[in-house]
Amino acid sequence: MKKQILIADGYNIIGNWPELNKLKQNDHLADARDRLLQILSEYRKFREIEVILVFDAMYVPGIKQSYVQYNLEVVFTDEDETADSYIEGLAGKLMSPITQVTVVSSDQAEQWTIFSRGALRVSSHDFYREIRRTHREIDHDAKHYHDRTLQRNMPWNPAQLDQLAQVRDALSAEKDD
């Protein structure tokens, strides 16, 4: 099976997801970035893929940097480099017979460039639906695990519990006599 790498255009996603765009519109862009990191971290863990989140320097000029947070690689491009051009170059570099790259962006020109290089492309809106579907799967798995745990921790059925209560009451009554 091929190694899966997801490269996400951070500001494109923020602008296209309702919750994150609302934060951005209310001048809470840093909070929107942090929330996106949390969401992608959960997704990465559940889907067991590598995630690279790219932000261009248009909102935070002069901070070219790359770091790891929540087991995600986070990249802020140079001031003169767009996220699109960075992603296109990175996707071309990472694509190989043993690696499948998927790029998340709603930028049509970028999508076609990525597709021509052999990477898969997903719009930000479609990825939002994938994230919501993943959250439902996580909730379902968590509920199933929780239900199994409850079942394991409760070895007695209701009839047996009633019998035990009767025995307890009888023993208590004998002790009081």
Side-chain angles (χ1 to χ4, degrees):
M1 187 162 122
K2 288 185 171 189
K3 177 181 177 181
Q4 299 293 317
I5 299 176
L6 180 85
I7 305 173
D9 184 336
Y11 290 131
N12 187 279
I13 291 172
I14 288 172
N16 283 285
W17 288 10
E19 170 193 355
L20 302 179
N21 193 36
K22 185 176 179 181
L23 287 170
K24 176 185 170 192
Q25 297 303 322
N26 291 324
D27 293 324
H28 297 288
L29 186 58
D31 293 336
R33 283 193 303 261
D34 289 342
R35 180 68 184 125
L36 179 57
L37 281 166
Q38 293 166 356
I39 291 167
L40 291 179
S41 175
E42 191 174 77
Y43 179 79
R44 180 207 60 81
K45 180 68 174 168
F46 189 74
R47 295 291 183 214
E48 298 179 350
I49 65 170
E50 182 180 335
V51 175
I52 303 168
L53 182 58
V54 180
F55 295 103
D56 59 26
M58 71 183 207
Y59 293 110
V60 282
I63 76 160
K64 164 75 170 138
Q65 64 178 334
S66 179
Y67 59 92
V68 175
Q69 185 173 350
Y70 305 127
N71 288 322
L72 303 172
E73 183 179 343
V74 181
V75 176
F76 285 87
T77 66
D78 281 325
E79 279 187 66
D80 59 343
E81 182 177 31
T82 66
D84 294 350
S85 62
Y86 182 88
I87 289 169
E88 290 164 8
L90 183 61
K93 186 169 60 171
L94 294 175
M95 277 300 300
S96 75
I98 59 169
T99 304
Q100 180 60 61
V101 174
T102 302
V103 173
V104 178
S105 177
S106 291
D107 183 303
Q108 288 286 22
E110 182 179 11
Q111 286 183 0
W112 283 110
T113 302
I114 293 303
F115 186 65
S116 71
R117 294 188 178 168
L120 300 176
R121 67 209 192 299
V122 177
S123 72
S124 294
H125 181 71
D126 287 344
F127 188 60
Y128 178 69
R129 290 194 311 228
E130 166 65 14
I131 291 291
R132 288 179 35 197
R133 183 174 36 255
T134 300
H135 276 244
R136 286 191 299 272
E137 288 179 43
I138 291 169
D139 289 345
H140 178 267
D141 287 358
K143 181 177 177 359
H144 177 72
Y145 177 77
H146 177 72
D147 291 347
R148 277 191 15 210
T149 303
L150 284 178
Q151 190 175 24
R152 273 190 257 146
N153 290 339
M154 183 59 84
W156 310 100
N157 66 38
Q160 292 171 321
L161 289 172
D162 286 341
Q163 285 180 323
L164 285 171
Q166 290 172 3
V167 169
R168 180 197 64 219
D169 293 344
L171 289 172
S172 294
E174 285 178 18
K175 182 178 174 187
D176 292 337
D177 288 338

